[in-house]
Amino acid sequence: MSRAELNQDAMSQDGTSPNQDPSIHASAVLIGNQAALIRGPSGSGKSRLAFDLIVAGRSGQIPTTTLVGDDRIYLAQRNSKIIARAAPGLVGLIEIRGLGLRRCDFTAEAQLSFVIDLAADDAERMPPPEAFKTTLLGIEIPRIPVGSGFQPLPLVVAALLTGPGSARDPRPSPGLSEGVW
């Protein structure tokens, strides 16, 4: 069965799960204790980035990273937090271009900590502070905008391992352990 067929089986005609949670075309991974939602247009590299982050976690570059879901993610609001989970027909599956759908370790759901937007029109060399925020289900959440033509993995790793600390923002760099950048 293709990913599209699995996807169709996993959702209703209006893009909601049986319990009415909205779904989006995205991937999600759990990096240590922080979950990232990876959004972008079709073909922008969402699955590739998810797998690259899993590999980076296995190699020790970042905390252990586990798949939440690939291609279709359901979002729910619980206690002012956003919870992500895979579409039922796609649980534990990730597309690896050239190999097709592959099974991998996964977690059933995770609380989102930030969003990665691939092919973001507002990505800049020195983005303004508002570029680092987005709103999902009425909740503001940190965001990493990645421009078209840029490799997202180094940018995401840098955001995870570094933090504010420039002359304009003298706060100490908390890195990943503090959960902010």
Side-chain angles (χ1 to χ4, degrees), residues 28-36 53-54 56-58 61-68 107 109-114 160-161 176-177 179:
V29 292
L30 181 62
I31 305 166
N33 63 357
Q34 297 187 86
L53 288 165
I54 291 167
R58 286 190 178 181
Q61 295 174 343
I62 59 175
T64 299
T65 302
T66 308
L67 180 70
V68 175
T107 187
E109 65 178 34
Q111 178 182 308
L112 288 183
S113 299
F114 62 100
L160 291 168
L161 300 179
L176 181 63
S177 63

Side-chain angles (χ1 to χ4, degrees), residues 29-92:
V29 292
L30 181 62
I31 305 166
N33 63 357
Q34 297 187 86
L37 180 69
I38 305 168
R39 304 186 298 189
S42 185
S44 61
K46 296 177 294 296
S47 299
R48 169 69 188 261
L49 178 57
F51 189 70
D52 285 349
L53 288 165
I54 291 167
V55 170
R58 286 190 178 181
S59 70
Q61 295 174 343
I62 59 175
T64 299
T65 302
T66 308
L67 180 70
V68 175
D70 185 41
D71 194 54
R72 178 63 54 187
I73 301 295
Y74 287 99
L75 301 176
Q77 185 181 25
R78 283 192 215 144
N79 301 319
S80 300
K81 305 293 182 191
I82 303 167
I83 307 300
R85 69 182 193 290
L90 298 173
V91 172

